[in-house]
Amino acid sequence: MIGTATVYPCSVRDAMAHWPTGMAVVTTADRDGWWWGFTASSISQVSARPPLLSVSLRRDSRSRPVFTATDAYAVHVLRAGQEGLADRFAHDAANDFDDVAVECGYEDVPLLTDVAVRLECRPVDVVSAGDHVLLIGEVIRARTGPHDPLVYLDQGFRRLARPDRGAWSAA
């Protein structure tokens, strides 16, 4: 039987490090046209009808006010080999988009090219969740690519060994 005990935040973090997750970069443009982005590992499909996603964002992130007020954002599931892109957007740097190939999407949101999956979203809710907020968005466009996703496990990047490359659909 599992007993009850005090649970420390570091214990939960260490336990969740054993849960493999994809890595994504979430992007938007503010009302003045400036581009913003952050790395996210906590993304989940909330509903199929309508198609809703949740993305977790640190409450103390410099980009939180922008993402909680935006009219659109995009979630880019990174492909294997894009560890540098994940690291770049993991920090609150002002020049995250320098030398990054982008095109403009819905509501002029910057879209990263050459990623495993790209989901353009219209925000529908922001939910307070402890030291994070959950951005709930309706997916209005989805694109998948031929690439294997970048995976994060045990506090490090990993690659999937997939013998069935045909499982991914090309857009």
Side-chain angles (χ1 to χ4, degrees):
M1 172 176 257
I2 297 176
T4 60
T6 301
V7 177
Y8 298 98
C10 62
S11 299
V12 175
R13 183 194 64 230
D14 292 346
M16 292 306 296
H18 297 285
W19 178 258
T21 184
M23 295 301 295
V25 170
V26 184
T27 61
T28 194
D30 67 19
R31 301 207 191 284
D32 295 325
W34 291 98
W35 292 349
W36 294 79
F38 69 93
T39 297
S41 61
S42 182
I43 296 170
S44 180
Q45 181 177 3
V46 176
S47 169
R49 291 191 178 113
L52 299 177
L53 293 181
S54 71
V55 178
S56 183
L57 174 60
R58 283 188 347 265
R59 184 179 299 283
D60 65 354
S61 171
R62 186 174 64 93
S63 63
R64 182 192 48 82
V66 175
F67 279 92
T68 56
T70 192
D71 293 328
Y73 57 87
V75 177
H76 308 85
V77 177
L78 300 180
R79 63 173 172 77
Q82 290 183 317
E83 295 87 348
L85 202 53
D87 287 339
R88 173 186 291 209
F89 284 94
H91 307 287
D92 280 338
N95 60 352
D96 288 338
F97 291 88
D98 287 351
D99 302 320
V100 175
V102 298
E103 56 193 37
C104 286
Y106 175 71
E107 297 289 336
D108 292 324
V109 168
L111 302 177
L112 306 182
T113 60
D114 195 32
V115 292
V117 175
R118 185 167 64 206
L119 304 160
E120 294 179 73
C121 300
R122 181 185 62 80
V124 295
D125 203 359
V126 176
V127 178
S128 179
D131 58 1
H132 282 66
V133 295
L134 298 177
L135 308 173
I136 310 295
E138 180 177 5
V139 179
I140 59 167
R141 289 186 192 142
R143 182 202 64 85
T144 60
H147 307 292
D148 285 339
L150 180 62
V151 176
Y152 198 75
L153 174 66
D154 289 332
Q155 300 178 354
F157 296 111
R158 304 284 187 253
R159 291 176 187 240
L160 295 177
R162 296 176 51 97
D164 60 331
R165 297 272 314 171
W168 291 91
S169 65

